Amino acid sequence: MTTARTPGHGPLTGVRVVELAGIGPGPFAAMLLADLGADVVRVDRPGGPGLAIDPAYDVTNRNKRSVVVDLKSADGSARVLDLAARADILVEGYRPGVAERLGVGPEPCHARNPALVYGRMTGWGQDGPLADRAGHDITYIAPTGTLGMIGRPDQPPAVPANLLGDYAGGSLYLVVGVLAALHHARATGTGQVVDAAVVDGVSHLATMIHGMLAAGGWQDRRGANLLDGGCPYYGTYETADGRHMAVGALEPQFYEEFLARLGIEDQAAARKDVTRWSELREQVAARFKTRTRDEWTAVFDGTDACVAPVLSLREAPHHPHLAARGTFTDHGGITQPAPAPRFSATPTSVRTGPARPGADTADVARDWDVPGLVPSSRTPQRKASS
């Protein structure tokens, strides 16, 4: 039984993508391509990937279709190559050399489809001393200098979930890369390999900070700079009910409004006087502790003081601004972020719920003209010798 589809399209309508199932940044990158309208076929392995959640709730597989192929079987690689022959983009997130050993590396794929964009998503990249080493988001961002920037100076670096490495430094750079390569392939007829590494992307995200460091405008330590919590008017504060407010009153006019609403106008001169920042921080913290988060939200509502409540994941969809924009959507009983960004001529949507492993095999076999995907249409699979 295939997942129900609802109307919707996007700027990548007509683009075909093969995703070799994995975890983390690869699936999210493929979801983004699917959100933008691409026909993404996820090649799941028998038994599913490690660390997987219930497929019914894995919304990173929304807007996709799934087939199951055992790449260790006698004809598994042939089935993937059949798909690659008809695809515009292929995305894989194996360790370097694994796709080659499975028979679905860039060389056989390009032999079948010279215009294919072959996207490779790893933490360390395809080469270098650590290329073959296991890792996860936190161990990828640690050597880049970015993890060491985050958190209080008197505590260990704060863990930014897996947003900074896997998704910002990984998935988004992979998507930028494969779309740029797709533009080149359509102009020249020549595909290429896109090597997207979390360590490269996360380092690239810190480009401005490196410039400030070189210019002497950034101290190479945590909690000592304008944008890392070192500045008392750019950070978070606890409120009377144990919740928090976020402050980003950097510009003079915003800082002035911030002080006025907080009731500490006498601290105007402390903005540029770093020697007074400790005193300013204490006063700001004391003021925020006098009211609840919702009370302070009301105080700053409608102002340009650049102050906002810190909401939880369950609270966020109900924020008036996010609700008005439809930043979150409900599909199949699951509240989830809506596709982003937005397009005036080719709007996007959540068209289907999470793809169930193998549920779309017959449809993909028909639509992509790959009859060998359907088990009944080929000889039984034979396990390759180990």
Side-chain angles (χ1 to χ4, degrees), residues 105-171:
E107 187 173 342
C109 285
H110 282 142
R112 294 288 301 275
N113 181 358
L116 180 71
V117 173
Y118 195 103
R120 317 198 82 165
M121 183 72 256
T122 60
W124 302 114
Q126 295 298 310
D127 53 38
L130 297 179
D132 293 327
R133 188 80 57 85
H136 280 294
D137 179 296
I138 192 169
T139 54
Y140 301 140
I141 67 177
T144 68
T146 52
L147 179 61
M149 293 168 47
I150 305 170
R152 295 176 55 86
D154 57 345
Q155 296 179 1
V159 180
N162 67 329
L163 301 176
L164 179 57
D166 278 353
Y167 299 141
S171 304

Side-chain angles (χ1 to χ4, degrees), residues 9 24 45 114 123 129 176 206 258 276 292 324 354:
H9 60 287
R45 66 191 72 175
V176 169
F258 169 62
R276 295 181 59 184
T292 67

Side-chain angles (χ1 to χ4, degrees), residues 27-227:
F28 186 84
M31 182 207 76
L32 182 50
L33 294 171
D35 282 354
L36 297 179
D39 181 6
V40 176
V41 172
R42 177 178 167 93
V43 179
D44 280 298
R45 66 191 72 175
L51 298 183
I53 64 173
D54 183 341
Y57 293 93
D58 189 355
V59 292
T60 62
N61 286 327
R62 70 188 186 189
N63 288 338
K64 303 177 184 178
R65 298 192 286 179
S66 169
V67 301
V68 171
V69 175
D70 184 358
L71 277 168
K72 294 183 179 180
S73 69
D75 62 350
S77 61
R79 302 287 71 77
V80 170
L81 293 176
D82 286 344
L83 290 168
R86 293 157 174 79
D88 299 291
I89 298 169
L90 182 145
V91 171
E92 61 95 355
Y94 302 136
R95 290 199 210 187
V98 172
E100 283 81 354
R101 291 197 296 272
L102 292 172
V104 293
E107 187 173 342
C109 285
H110 282 142
R112 294 288 301 275
N113 181 358
L116 180 71
V117 173
Y118 195 103
R120 317 198 82 165
M121 183 72 256
T122 60
W124 302 114
Q126 295 298 310
D127 53 38
L130 297 179
D132 293 327
R133 188 80 57 85
H136 280 294
D137 179 296
I138 192 169
T139 54
Y140 301 140
I141 67 177
T144 68
T146 52
L147 179 61
M149 293 168 47
I150 305 170
R152 295 176 55 86
D154 57 345
Q155 296 179 1
V159 180
N162 67 329
L163 301 176
L164 179 57
D166 278 353
Y167 299 141
S171 304
L172 298 186
Y173 278 85
L174 177 62
V175 169
V176 169
V178 297
L179 292 182
L182 179 62
H183 174 76
H184 172 265
R186 290 187 165 178
T188 66
T190 304
Q192 60 183 301
V193 176
V194 177
D195 174 6
V198 171
V199 292
D200 296 344
V202 169
S203 297
H204 191 259
L205 288 171
T207 299
M208 183 191 76
I209 304 299
H210 280 280
M212 295 174 68
L213 183 67
W218 189 275
Q219 298 185 60
D220 196 11
R221 55 192 178 91
R222 237 177 359 270
N225 300 283
L226 191 66
L227 302 176

